[in-house]
């Protein structure tokens, strides 16, 4: 919906924060897959809401990929931008020893 100033009106935020699956603590391949899926859900949630809390909770400060994602979302929302409909899909997994 276009507002009188020409900007788009932000739709209501209906996304719910993802819940960490118990499998994440299991270790092994099952734990790694669960952690990867949760990370992608937390990242999409951050883009759709501006809330980087769940993403920060599982991101090491030394992970430049993770910190870059957090910084981009926070800067995006700090400038008054917003996003909706962001999502990720897992199309292939590969276990590496």
């Amino acid at each position: 919906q276009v507002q009188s100033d020409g900007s788009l009106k932000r739709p209501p935020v209906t996304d719910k924060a993802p819940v960490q699956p118990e499998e994440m603590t299991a270790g092994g391949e099952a734990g790694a897959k669960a952690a990867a899926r949760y990370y992608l859900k937390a990242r999409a949630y951050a883009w759709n809401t501006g809330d980087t809390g769940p993403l920060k909770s599982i991101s090491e400060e030394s992970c430049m990929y993770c910190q870059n994602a957090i910084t981009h979302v926070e800067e995006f929302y700090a400038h008054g931008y917003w996003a909706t409909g962001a999502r990720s899909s897992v199309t292939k997994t590969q276990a590496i020893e």
Side-chain angles (χ1 to χ4, degrees), residues 1-11 79-82:
Q1 185 179 39
V2 178
Q3 300 181 106
S4 60
D5 67 356
S7 65
L8 293 177
K9 181 178 180 181
R10 183 176 182 181
H79 284 95
Y81 304 128
W82 51 267

Side-chain angles (χ1 to χ4, degrees), residues 27-85:
E29 189 174 340
K33 286 181 180 180
R37 285 190 174 94
Y38 178 78
Y39 177 85
L40 293 174
K41 288 178 184 177
R43 187 175 169 142
Y45 171 77
W47 276 110
N48 290 330
T49 65
D51 177 5
T52 57
L55 192 55
K56 285 179 179 178
S57 74
I58 61 163
S59 298
E60 294 283 333
E61 284 191 35
S62 61
C63 175
M64 298 315 309
Y65 179 83
C66 303
Q67 296 307 317
N68 190 36
I70 292 165
T71 299
H72 277 103
V73 171
E74 290 176 346
E75 288 178 356
F76 187 78
Y77 277 85
H79 284 95
Y81 304 128
W82 51 267
T84 186

